[in-house]
Amino acid sequence: MDQNRQPTWTKRCRYIAYMVVLVTIWSEAAAQIRYSISEEVKVGSVVGNIAKDLGIDKTSLKDREYRIVGSSVEPLFHLNEEDGILYVSRKVDREEICERSSACVINLKTVLENPLEIHYVVIEVLDVNDHAPVFPEKEKRLEIFESTSPGTRFQLQPARDPDSGQFSVQQYKLSHTDHFRLEVKERGEDRKMPFLILQKQLDREAMKEHRLVLTAVDGGKPPKSGTTQILINVLDVNDNSPVFTRDVYSAILHENAEPGTLVIQVNATDLDEGANSEIIYSFGDEVDINVQKLFTIQPSTGEIKVTGEIDYEKNRNFEIDIKASDKGSIPLTTDKTVNIKVIDLNDNPPEIEVTSFSKSVPEDSRIGTTVALVSVSDLDSGPNGKVSCFIREDVPFAVSPSLQDNMYAIVTKSHLNREEKPFYDLTIVAKDTGEPSLSSEKTISVTVSDVNDNRPQFSLSSYTFYITENNDLTSPVFSVQASDLDEGDNAHISYHIPRDSKGDSTGLFLNINSENGDVMPLKSFDFETLKTFQFQVVATDSGTPSLSNNVTVNVFILDQNDNAPVILYPLSSNGSAEGVEEIPRNVNAGHLVTKVRAYDADIGYNGWLLFSLQEVTDHSLFGLDRYTGQIRTLRSFTETDEAEHKLVILVKDNGNVSLSATATVVVKVVEPKEAFAASDVKSSAKDDDSNVTFYLMITLGSVSALFIISIIVLIAMQCSKSTDYTSKYLEDKNYDGTLCHSIQYRSGDKRYMLVGPRMSIGSTIVPGSNANTLVLPDRRKASGEVSKVHFKKKSKKRKKKVLSPNLFEH
């Protein structure tokens, strides 16, 4: 097989060489035919009759193998060997064949064999406007800074039209715009270059994008055109400052707002873009550092929040300068003021200040007297700062509003009495009208100063004192006390005994200590001379003017046993206590021989006399009554009895230290006749003695009556103070009428004795009792114990029975 192929290739090579030579030889002699066809003709269309035009017999075409020499796989034309006509075999596209050549010519080489003939056929493809101009891009994007100066040129890509000549792009058109215009420049054959020229300053903020339509139009009839979109992005230049969205920023903030509380959010916009439109918020450069401690601003959001303590009383509003800056390479800044109004909360209690204060107020001040001036303030405002003032306690003071705002006067609203209450603690309360209400207090102490409006007052309405006679002159006998409800000099009391202009001599034997009221005796008292007296004591304070008061003092002198008994009978002619009694011998037992009479100037037990036989010749013959002093016979006389008997009678009082006297009675026993005669003589003597006794009894009776009247008056005074008992008078069985007087008194289950000038036997003054305690012997007890009775004064708090100085419990 390879061997067969060798000759074939050889043949071919020879043929090719032969043909080359022939072409070279016949090139100039070969005929050349020119045809023209329009592109886009239908397939099968006749291009031309080559055989006819070359003068070749069309019958020989087949034999001579007339053909088109070419290497195209899909030739545009084919030759009919039968008639020599050249036909279009496929679509003829001038733009495809010739691209952009101005003349599109297709050279076909035809060959005839035997003899060899080469004929060239030139086919000119005529352009048809079958293409519209086409831009390389459907959309052209341009980026132009808004700061680009007018007149700047921007080259655009031209449109391409495969057609040529007049069917190519003949002109460009630009859609209407105020900012750009179109300029076309010729560059070479069939080339027009469009340029976009900026004729007006761009403003990205006004229009950040411009859309233009560029139209390319060819010269066909009708013309065809192509368009492209020109998208111009205006690039931002930081030529716009941030602009706040509101002209005025105002916010309301409650005081004491918690940290983190949002106050207000500011917002600014920047017409630029990118970093030029990114805004950072901050405080202005002139914002006080203290304000920056109270608020903070978020740089990215513009939120203003609380960071410190908001106090309405320190700042009622804030004017904060806020700065908005963009992030441009050269940042632009805009300032804005934010007004923040702080709303008051009732967080401040009222404050009380005493601006003027009188610590003491005279008790005789008139109603409405100003004690203090008080200033009240409240840092809050409105109802929170409206304050009312009052005194909490129920006191004789009130709060009176002053003519000046928030000033009050503390005045008296009723009369004061220092003696009832010497000082007051006033709690001044200031209370606002906020919700909730707050209050504060302040306490002031007001002292009521004394005015001499109280007279000295004695402890008793009248005083009764008992003084034992023969008193000591070195110590006070009694004391009066007065008090004054005032104080200081107004309560400093001095005492004195006024001298009676009527000639009262009391002041001659008494002196009073002006400071303490102790009464000193100027002489010793004698009960037998003065038994009672009365005087006045005046107490005077040291106020200006001074006030005084007086009291009546009743003084009773108490008896002491300072007088010995005095024998009244018998008395001899020389004054001695001796007497002679003659009795008949024939008297019976119980015959009254005589009666010894005695007198004691003392009273009570001190004057109660007891008789006893100190000496007697015969104890069986005579007896002596202990209480009456009567001497009686105990039996009848006998012949062996002596005719004369001596009796020594001891008369003794009942004082603690008893005093006594003796009387001697000589009893002569005579015969009846002698006795009769002697009785006549004796009766005469007795008549004289009876006269003396009579006068003595009148004197003693007068003294006793005076004393009894004094005692009755005293008892009446004491009884008027106590009415809670009933009394019953009892007869004293031991009373025999011997110059003594006693009345027994019963109250309840107790028994008392009232003793007159002569007390019952056995009464005595207890030593150390200040003559206020008497003792009676208790006859019910064999042991001889005695009971004590104390004179007691009536007390207001405890009801006690008051005994008269001569009223003794029995």
Side-chain angles (χ1 to χ4, degrees):
M1 186 174 183
D2 291 338
Q3 290 177 355
N4 293 332
R5 277 177 135 189
Q6 183 99 18
T8 303
W9 277 105
T10 302
K11 261 186 187 182
R12 286 184 178 178
C13 288
R14 288 176 181 175
Y15 177 76
I16 292 172
Y18 177 72
M19 288 299 294
V20 170
V21 173
L22 288 177
V23 168
T24 302
I25 297 172
W26 292 90
S27 60
E28 293 183 2
Q32 187 175 6
I33 303 172
R34 189 178 185 91
Y35 297 107
S36 62
I37 62 171
S38 297
E39 65 175 335
E40 303 295 335
V41 295
K42 295 181 179 180
V43 176
S45 297
V46 175
V47 179
N49 192 338
I50 297 176
K52 179 180 179 182
D53 292 333
L54 288 176
I56 301 173
D57 185 9
K58 61 180 180 180
T59 59
S60 62
L61 292 176
K62 187 173 182 181
D63 293 336
R64 295 183 66 180
E65 298 181 357
Y66 188 50
R67 64 184 183 278
I68 299 173
V69 179
S71 60
S72 176
V73 178
E74 293 185 2
L76 291 172
F77 307 100
H78 69 274
L79 183 63
N80 190 339
E81 294 180 349
E82 296 294 334
D83 52 12
I85 297 174
L86 186 63
Y87 293 96
V88 176
S89 60
R90 64 180 180 87
K91 178 181 177 181
V92 177
D93 188 352
R94 178 182 181 280
E95 290 73 27
E96 180 183 349
I97 299 170
C98 299
E99 295 184 357
R100 292 191 59 82
S101 299
S102 58
C104 183
V105 176
I106 301 174
N107 293 311
L108 296 179
K109 184 169 65 175
T110 63
V111 177
L112 289 171
E113 296 288 345
N114 300 318
L116 178 62
E117 290 183 12
I118 297 174
H119 298 279
Y120 292 95
V121 177
V122 177
I123 300 173
E124 181 182 3
V125 179
L126 299 177
D127 190 22
V128 175
N129 194 19
D130 58 346
H131 290 87
V134 177
F135 286 93
E137 297 176 339
K138 292 293 185 182
E139 183 179 83
K140 175 65 177 178
R141 289 182 176 270
L142 294 178
E143 292 183 345
I144 303 174
F145 285 100
E146 60 179 328
S147 60
T148 303
S149 301
T152 304
R153 301 161 63 91
F154 301 94
Q155 184 176 343
L156 303 177
Q157 289 185 341
R160 295 186 180 275
D161 194 332
D163 298 327
S164 62
Q166 63 177 358
F167 298 127
S168 64
V169 177
Q170 298 299 312
Q171 61 176 343
Y172 289 95
K173 294 179 180 180
L174 186 64
S175 59
H176 176 75
T177 175
D178 294 333
H179 292 85
F180 297 93
R181 65 184 177 84
L182 186 65
E183 184 177 292
V184 180
K185 283 191 175 183
E186 299 287 341
R187 286 193 178 177
E189 188 179 356
D190 288 341
R191 293 198 64 186
K192 292 179 171 35
M193 186 64 65
F195 288 90
L196 194 62
I197 299 176
L198 180 65
Q199 64 178 5
K200 182 180 179 181
Q201 182 79 40
L202 295 176
D203 186 357
R204 193 202 67 82
E205 291 70 40
M207 182 178 293
K208 63 180 178 179
E209 184 179 82
H210 294 265
R211 289 184 175 271
L212 304 177
V213 177
L214 180 62
T215 304
V217 181
D218 60 18
K221 291 184 180 180
K224 292 186 176 181
S225 62
T227 60
T228 183
Q229 295 282 338
I230 302 176
L231 179 60
I232 301 173
N233 289 324
V234 182
L235 298 181
D236 185 46
V237 174
N238 194 19
D239 59 345
N240 289 279
S241 298
V243 177
F244 285 94
T245 56
R246 290 161 60 181
D247 293 334
V248 177
Y249 283 94
S250 298
I252 294 177
L253 179 64
H254 290 278
E255 70 170 326
N256 301 329
E258 294 291 332
T261 301
L262 177 64
V263 181
I264 194 172
Q265 183 176 11
V266 298
N267 186 30
T269 58
D270 195 320
L271 296 177
D272 299 323
E273 65 178 0
N276 296 331
S277 65
E278 294 181 11
I279 298 175
I280 297 175
Y281 301 94
S282 62
F283 288 120
D285 297 334
E286 302 300 323
V287 175
D288 188 87
I289 186 65
N290 294 322
V291 175
Q292 297 185 36
K293 292 180 180 179
L294 299 177
F295 300 96
T296 184
I297 185 169
Q298 285 293 106
S300 58
T301 63
E303 292 180 341
I304 299 176
K305 295 184 178 180
V306 176
T307 58
E309 181 180 356
I310 306 301
D311 191 351
Y312 173 85
E313 289 67 41
K314 292 181 179 179
N315 298 98
R316 299 189 176 188
N317 56 68
F318 296 91
E319 290 185 357
I320 305 175
D321 292 333
I322 304 300
K323 181 171 62 177
S325 303
D326 58 31
K327 293 184 178 180
S329 57
I330 301 177
L332 298 178
T333 301
T334 302
D335 295 328
K336 181 66 68 175
T337 298
V338 176
N339 295 313
I340 301 174
K341 181 180 179 182
V342 180
I343 300 300
D344 182 40
L345 295 180
N346 195 22
D347 61 340
N348 290 281
E351 295 181 359
I352 304 173
E353 181 183 0
V354 180
T355 58
S356 177
F357 175 46
S358 299
K359 291 187 177 180
S360 62
V361 182
E363 60 178 324
D364 62 347
S365 298
R366 292 187 299 178
I367 295 176
T369 300
T370 300
V371 176
L373 291 178
V374 177
S375 174
V376 179
S377 61
D378 196 317
L379 296 176
D380 298 320
S381 64
N384 298 331
K386 188 176 181 181
V387 181
S388 61
C389 195
F390 60 91
I391 296 176
R392 172 179 295 171
E393 296 83 7
D394 183 13
V395 292
F397 298 92
V399 176
S400 176
S402 177
L403 295 177
Q404 187 176 356
D405 290 342
N406 296 327
M407 289 292 294
Y408 297 89
I410 308 300
V411 299
T412 57
K413 68 177 182 179
S414 60
H415 293 290
L416 302 177
N417 191 341
R418 189 204 64 83
E419 289 70 39
E420 292 181 359
K421 192 163 185 179
F423 66 91
Y424 295 89
D425 287 330
L426 308 182
T427 304
I428 303 170
V429 180
K431 186 176 183 181
D432 59 33
T433 57
E435 289 293 340
S437 177
L438 297 179
S439 62
S440 59
E441 300 177 357
K442 192 175 188 67
T443 300
I444 61 174
S445 296
V446 178
T447 300
V448 181
S449 62
D450 186 45
V451 173
N452 194 23
D453 59 346
N454 290 279
R455 297 179 179 274
Q457 297 294 326
F458 286 94
S459 57
L460 296 174
S461 60
S462 66
Y463 287 92
T464 300
F465 295 105
Y466 304 93
I467 304 174
T468 304
E469 64 176 333
N470 303 320
N471 54 286
D472 185 10
L473 299 180
T474 61
S475 59
V477 290
F478 55 82
S479 178
V480 295
Q481 293 292 327
S483 61
D484 197 317
L485 295 177
D486 299 321
E487 64 177 0
D489 290 341
N490 297 331
H492 186 268
I493 299 174
S494 61
Y495 303 89
H496 74 277
I497 298 174
R499 303 306 179 200
D500 193 351
S501 61
K502 298 180 180 180
D504 187 5
S505 61
T506 302
L508 299 178
F509 49 83
L510 288 177
N511 187 32
I512 189 167
N513 188 320
S514 62
E515 295 296 327
N516 56 26
D518 290 342
V519 178
M520 297 288 294
L522 298 178
K523 71 172 187 175
S524 292
F525 295 103
D526 184 8
F527 173 79
E528 289 72 30
T529 303
L530 180 66
K531 293 180 173 56
T532 181
F533 62 89
Q534 185 183 80
F535 65 95
Q536 299 284 324
V537 174
V538 178
T540 305
D541 59 31
S542 300
T544 303
S546 62
L547 299 177
S548 62
N549 202 356
N550 56 16
V551 69
T552 299
V553 180
N554 297 296
V555 180
F556 292 92
I557 309 301
L558 298 179
D559 183 44
Q560 278 191 333
N561 194 22
D562 59 345
N563 291 281
V566 177
I567 304 298
L568 298 178
Y569 180 83
L571 285 176
S572 63
S573 58
N574 60 3
S576 62
E578 294 182 358
V580 177
E581 295 289 340
E582 293 182 354
I583 61 171
R585 182 179 290 276
N586 60 350
V587 296
N588 296 323
H591 176 72
L592 176 64
V593 177
T594 187
K595 181 177 181 180
V596 179
R597 291 181 175 88
Y599 166 74
D600 196 321
D602 298 320
I603 66 169
Y605 289 156
N606 296 328
W608 198 339
L609 302 180
L610 295 177
F611 301 86
S612 63
L613 286 173
Q614 189 174 15
E615 294 181 15
V616 64
T617 304
D618 188 351
H619 287 285
S620 65
L621 186 58
F622 297 99
L624 177 64
D625 190 290
R626 180 176 182 180
Y627 301 107
T628 64
Q630 293 180 353
I631 301 174
R632 294 181 183 274
T633 58
L634 297 177
R635 59 179 177 81
S636 299
F637 290 97
T638 62
E639 293 295 332
T640 59
D641 293 329
E642 294 182 1
E644 185 175 306
H645 299 274
K646 181 180 181 180
L647 298 143
V648 179
I649 294 93
L650 178 65
V651 181
K652 183 174 65 173
D653 59 28
N654 279 276
N656 281 339
V657 179
S658 64
L659 301 178
S660 62
T662 60
T664 302
V665 176
V666 176
V667 179
K668 292 182 179 182
V669 180
V670 297
E671 294 302 324
K673 291 182 179 180
E674 297 176 358
F676 180 78
S679 65
D680 292 337
V681 176
K682 186 181 293 185
S683 64
S684 177
K686 286 185 178 179
D687 290 338
D688 296 336
D689 183 57
S690 299
N691 291 332
V692 174
T693 302
F694 176 73
Y695 291 121
L696 181 60
M697 291 296 292
I698 291 176
T699 301
L700 293 178
S702 300
V703 172
S704 299
L706 178 63
F707 184 79
I708 289 172
I709 291 173
S710 300
I711 295 300
I712 290 173
V713 171
L714 180 62
I715 291 174
M717 293 172 61
Q718 298 294 336
C719 290
S720 65
K721 298 179 182 179
S722 176
T723 59
D724 58 347
Y725 58 83
T726 59
S727 62
K728 179 180 181 182
Y729 293 94
L730 303 175
E731 181 182 358
D732 185 5
K733 295 180 180 181
N734 294 322
Y735 174 65
D736 61 355
T738 307
L739 297 180
C740 64
H741 179 75
S742 65
I743 297 176
Q744 292 192 14
Y745 172 82
R746 180 182 298 278
S747 176
D749 59 351
K750 292 189 177 181
R751 187 164 170 261
Y752 304 92
M753 178 178 288
L754 179 66
V755 181
R758 287 293 183 88
M759 301 298 294
S760 299
I761 298 173
S763 66
T764 183
I765 302 297
V766 178
S769 64
N770 197 21
N772 290 331
T773 304
L774 297 180
V775 178
L776 287 177
D778 190 352
R779 296 184 178 86
R780 294 174 296 177
K781 296 184 179 180
S783 61
E785 295 180 356
V786 296
S787 302
K788 294 184 178 180
V789 178
H790 295 271
F791 296 110
K792 303 177 182 178
K793 299 178 181 179
K794 184 178 180 181
S795 171
K796 294 181 180 180
K797 295 183 180 178
R798 298 175 58 190
K799 292 184 178 179
K800 295 184 178 180
K801 297 176 182 178
V802 181
L803 303 180
S804 170
N806 292 325
L807 190 62
F808 305 99
E809 184 178 354
H810 187 63

